[in-house]
Amino acid sequence: MPTDDEAAFRQTGWAGLRARLFHLYFVLRRPMTLGVRGLIHDAATNSVFLIRHTYVPGWQLPGGGVEVGETLAEALARELAEEGNIAMAATPVLKSMHFNRRASRRDHVGFYLIENFSQTAPKRPDHEIAEAGFFPLDRLPEGTTPATLRRVAEVFRGVPASPYW
């Protein structure tokens, strides 16, 4: 919802209609998808939270798609709750943005670090999540995805962030 300050810049009349038509054209012509992933780090145990889906192989960071009308932070909060019973207790830190060329030619992922959180209950398996849990950084499970290993290296070993997921 626009604020009073933003309302002064809202296009109306023909200019507004034209802007909306151009936007519709670009959405249909060049649709882009946007997702979020979160690296949940428990500093006390030096462990990270990973999930294993029922429909794709490997252990990975929790996250998913950003829905229409949703901010990246809102999508991240929703996905963490759904996939790990995790609630953020502070604003997450956006670490990097990545082009996910394996998903499509238009998919991008916002990658966040979350160190202030709570978990209401351990995540039990369901139709989407086969397994979930915290793993020590020096003993990540076999089958951890390459993208997850890259993000861990970027955050904890100072490896420069790759533009690709």
Side-chain angles (χ1 to χ4, degrees):
M1 178 122 325
T3 65
D4 290 339
D5 292 339
E6 294 168 330
F9 295 97
R10 177 181 290 243
Q11 291 181 318
T12 59
W14 168 244
L17 177 60
R18 186 179 65 194
R20 285 190 294 280
L21 288 173
F22 273 123
H23 182 74
L24 177 61
Y25 168 77
F26 286 116
V27 164
L28 296 174
R29 184 77 174 120
R30 297 186 259 175
M32 186 175 88
T33 55
L34 183 61
V36 291
R37 293 283 178 146
L39 193 158
I40 292 54
H41 178 236
D42 182 349
T45 61
N46 200 30
S47 61
V48 294
F49 184 77
L50 301 176
I51 60 170
R52 193 173 62 77
H53 283 107
T54 58
Y55 52 88
V56 293
W59 287 92
Q60 54 196 286
L61 301 167
V66 178
E67 301 294 336
V68 173
E70 193 174 48
T71 68
L72 275 78
E74 290 168 342
L76 183 62
R78 177 180 48 77
E79 290 290 344
L80 296 181
E82 290 173 4
E83 296 184 349
N85 296 326
I86 291 175
M88 295 182 291
T91 303
V93 176
L94 177 63
K95 296 300 285 183
S96 49
M97 293 293 295
H98 303 268
F99 172 39
N100 188 4
R101 59 186 172 190
R102 292 186 68 217
S104 80
R105 296 179 343 158
R106 301 287 298 160
D107 189 53
H108 294 78
V109 180
F111 172 58
Y112 288 86
L113 175 63
I114 299 98
E115 295 186 294
N116 196 348
F117 65 92
S118 63
Q119 187 176 39
T120 58
K123 176 63 180 172
R124 301 284 180 230
D126 60 26
H127 68 283
E128 182 184 2
I129 306 299
E131 294 180 85
F134 283 90
F135 297 90
L137 278 171
D138 61 353
R139 290 191 310 277
L140 296 179
E142 185 175 326
T144 299
T145 65
T148 298
L149 294 173
R150 283 191 299 273
R151 300 299 82 80
V152 167
E154 290 164 4
V155 170
F156 297 107
R157 292 190 210 111
V159 172
S162 168
Y164 303 101
W165 184 252

